[in-house]
Amino acid sequence: TTPTSRHPQAPNTVDLDSLRAVANQVPDPRDPRGVRYRLADIIMIALWAVACGQRSIQAIYDWANAHTELLAERDLKCPSMETIRRVLALIDGDTFDALFGSWALQATRSSTSGVIAVAIDGKEVRGAKTNGCDRVHLLGAATHTGAVIGQVSVDAKTNEIPCLEGLLDQIGDIDGVVVTLDALHTQVASAALIADRGAWWVFQLKGNQPTVLDQVKHLPWEEASVHRQPDLHHGLLTHRHHRILRFPDGEICFPGARQAIKLRRTRIRIDGTKTWEEVFIITNHPTATAQQLARWIRGHWRIESIHWLRDNHWSEDASLIRTRNLPRIMATIRNTIISFLHLRGITDIARNLRINAAKPQATANLIGL
């Protein structure tokens, strides 16, 4: 069997010219008297600069100030650094995420004929803090093709679990969508929230559901069908063996569960070292094939790769931004650029940022400026 690609490919052709239209929809929180710079212009300058690899408010200002002629060609003026900081910090985070998340979901739907799979996971922006000196924690949702479609803030006094409902409300229509989550969210209430919206859930089982995990471990796995999936990446050969069992609702004590997956990963390194692990997964999808389940299980890593991109290419964890909503707004701007590039079929983000930095005019044309 031929090893599969590590990177699911996003469609190469999609109409993304509506990015400026989305920026125009963001409500301006400022008193209109004395406003010198349009909010949409500031947002687009920030998106343009971040698409060229800029990492901070200071860097966005320095970049814009160095390209005033390019900005003028597009009827844009360079605000002061304090204006950029103050205006972006005033934007309502929920509205901002909802607008750009809806844009990413619509773009994905317009270019996808099959089932859309969405991964949900949390991320802490380690360096940033709120005015109350609490760390900024965000719960996000991204398609398995790499478009971020939603993000909510997790209050310091709670955790990700009760924020799931708010995230699903922000995303809106998820009828027919497959939602993958890690073991933290393997909760009956979470499953009900997803199923009530007409979506399918795929949960990993760990120690937080000991009874369900024990029941799944003792299912008749010797009777299960087996799907094998080899993968060669960076000199690491991984064999994945998926055993799939279907059963009626009520077979295990997790309402709605209709299939269980026993995944055994065996990794062989260049030096011959071999390691393995077993993972158990449940889903309410009654008819998904072994190939589909294997793809959804593996596709969940995409949201982790988005977090990695934000940290490694834009130094998000090193950011010390603490002004109002600014840490969240900057995270959404980075998410939007990542979504945009993935929707264009671009997977080498680092190389693309270097190209964008060298050709800012072409980048402006790319994002619809």
Side-chain angles (χ1 to χ4, degrees):
T1 307
T2 303
T4 57
S5 168
R6 184 175 178 82
H7 298 285
Q9 293 295 310
N12 289 317
T13 56
V14 60
D15 180 13
L16 299 174
D17 294 337
S18 57
L19 199 56
R20 179 61 184 261
V22 179
N24 284 326
Q25 294 177 49
V26 179
D28 194 334
R30 298 172 293 174
D31 188 323
R33 293 173 296 181
V35 169
R36 294 181 58 195
Y37 302 95
R38 292 170 294 191
L39 176 61
D41 290 353
I42 295 174
I43 293 171
M44 291 306 295
I45 289 171
L47 286 166
W48 189 3
V50 169
C52 291
Q54 306 310 311
R55 300 180 175 187
S56 65
I57 298 298
Q58 178 72 64
I60 290 171
Y61 166 73
D62 290 341
W63 180 90
N65 194 44
H67 293 87
T68 53
E69 291 183 4
L70 275 180
L71 266 62
E73 290 175 6
R74 287 158 177 81
D75 193 28
L76 298 173
K77 295 184 293 183
C78 177
S80 69
M81 185 182 71
E82 285 306 316
T83 296
I84 297 172
R85 184 193 308 277
R86 177 178 56 84
V87 172
L88 292 181
L90 289 172
I91 295 174
D92 179 73
D94 288 334
T95 303
F96 198 67
D97 278 308
L99 287 170
F100 281 97
S102 176
W103 161 82
L105 181 56
Q106 289 175 13
T108 300
R109 281 183 167 145
S110 70
S111 58
T112 303
S113 57
V115 175
I116 295 174
V118 171
I120 291 178
D121 195 23
K123 182 186 186 300
E124 185 177 73
V125 185
R126 298 180 187 278
K129 293 184 180 181
T130 65
N131 290 341
C133 293
D134 295 317
R135 281 186 172 180
V136 176
H137 193 115
L138 303 169
L139 181 66
T143 67
H144 286 193
T145 51
V148 181
I149 62 170
Q151 182 177 261
V152 295
S153 182
V154 180
D155 190 87
K157 297 179 181 180
T158 183
N159 58 45
E160 294 178 17
I161 297 172
C163 295
L164 177 62
E165 183 173 10
L167 178 61
L168 295 176
D169 288 342
Q170 183 191 100
I171 296 170
D173 180 18
I174 57 170
D175 185 51
V177 170
V178 173
V179 181
T180 62
L181 304 99
D182 60 21
L184 173 67
H185 290 279
T186 307
Q187 310 285 337
V188 172
S190 299
L193 284 172
I194 295 168
D196 288 348
R197 288 166 169 78
W200 309 105
W201 47 258
V202 179
F203 287 135
Q204 186 175 342
L205 287 172
K206 285 189 177 178
N208 61 328
Q209 291 285 350
T211 303
V212 182
L213 178 60
D214 184 66
Q215 286 182 323
V216 171
K217 282 183 176 180
H218 289 89
L219 289 172
W221 291 109
E222 65 280 359
E223 302 173 7
S225 59
V226 181
H227 173 67
R228 293 176 173 84
Q229 186 184 52
D231 170 44
L232 180 61
H233 185 72
H234 289 314
L236 178 65
L237 178 62
T238 303
H239 290 281
R240 295 178 177 85
H241 289 190
H242 302 81
R243 292 183 179 270
I244 316 293
L245 280 176
R246 294 179 180 176
F247 43 77
D249 189 10
E251 182 76 12
I252 62 174
C253 59
F254 196 97
R258 298 297 302 276
Q259 292 197 78
I261 304 96
K262 180 181 180 180
L263 168 59
R264 182 185 177 99
R265 297 189 188 99
T266 304
R267 296 185 173 94
I268 305 172
R269 301 186 181 277
I270 295 177
D271 61 4
T273 305
K274 183 185 292 187
T275 59
W276 65 274
E277 64 175 338
E278 281 188 347
V279 178
F280 293 90
I281 296 148
I282 54 174
T283 178
N284 66 332
H285 202 303
T287 59
T289 65
Q291 290 82 359
Q292 286 176 314
L293 290 167
R295 186 167 63 250
W296 295 336
I297 292 166
R298 196 174 178 210
H300 184 74
W301 70 269
R302 179 50 73 100
I303 194 166
E304 296 288 351
S305 77
I306 291 171
H307 295 167
W308 184 89
L309 288 170
R310 282 159 49 184
D311 288 338
N312 284 270
H313 298 321
W314 286 283
S315 301
E316 184 167 279
D317 270 357
S319 171
L320 299 178
I321 294 173
R322 301 186 180 186
T323 308
R324 298 192 182 184
N325 291 330
L326 196 51
R328 178 176 176 181
I329 299 301
M330 287 299 296
T332 306
I333 289 172
R334 297 178 191 116
N335 282 339
T336 301
I337 295 303
I338 292 170
S339 301
F340 186 91
L341 296 177
H342 281 151
L343 286 162
R344 287 285 187 187
I346 297 168
T347 56
D348 192 339
I349 304 297
R351 180 172 180 267
N352 190 262
L353 292 179
R354 292 193 297 270
I355 294 171
N356 291 349
K359 299 180 178 180
Q361 187 164 5
T363 305
N365 296 333
L366 184 70
I367 65 174
L369 267 172

